[in-house]
């Protein structure tokens, strides 16, 4: 079930639960703000996931997201390619 911020425990699992609670609260606040909430949600979700990693995304939301595993694998492949790529601009240019 979708827990609220009050369900945050202690320990390592508590850190993930706290991050998930922040993620939920931010997405909900964005929806309630109205306007172009879709565009803002992309930025909010990206920033919170960058901060807390995949564990910050509520697992039940991941389970309900079509194509999540495919996007995760493509992102992994992209990051590997980025690490293997040579810099486009030399540092001394």
């Amino acid at each position: 079930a979708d827990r609220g911020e009050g369900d945050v425990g202690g320990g390592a699992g508590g850190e993930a639960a706290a991050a998930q609670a922040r993620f939920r609260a931010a997405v909900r606040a964005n929806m309630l703000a109205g306007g172009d909430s879709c565009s803002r949600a992309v930025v909010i979700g990206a920033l919170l996931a960058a901060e807390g990693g995949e564990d910050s995304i509520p697992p039940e939301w991941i389970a309900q997201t079509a194509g999540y595993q495919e996007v995760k694998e493509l992102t992994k492949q992209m990051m590997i390619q980025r690490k293997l790529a040579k810099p486009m601009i030399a540092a001394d240019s």
Side-chain angles (χ1 to χ4, degrees), residues 11-92:
E15 290 177 23
Q20 291 167 16
R22 284 191 302 275
F23 200 101
R24 285 185 189 91
V27 170
R28 287 184 177 138
N30 176 56
M31 290 187 307
L32 294 173
D36 189 8
S37 62
C38 186
S39 295
R40 286 192 315 262
V42 170
V43 174
I44 290 167
L47 290 174
L48 290 170
E51 175 189 50
E54 186 177 17
D55 288 343
S56 66
I57 305 170
E60 63 275 11
W61 291 13
I62 290 172
Q64 295 177 24
T65 302
Y68 182 86
Q69 293 305 321
E70 291 84 0
V71 170
K72 182 178 174 180
E73 182 58 33
L74 288 171
T75 302
K76 180 180 172 183
Q77 291 174 18
M78 182 179 66
M79 295 306 294
I80 290 169
Q81 289 300 316
R82 183 173 183 258
K83 288 179 184 179
L84 296 175
K86 294 180 182 177
M88 295 178 70
I89 301 173
D92 59 328

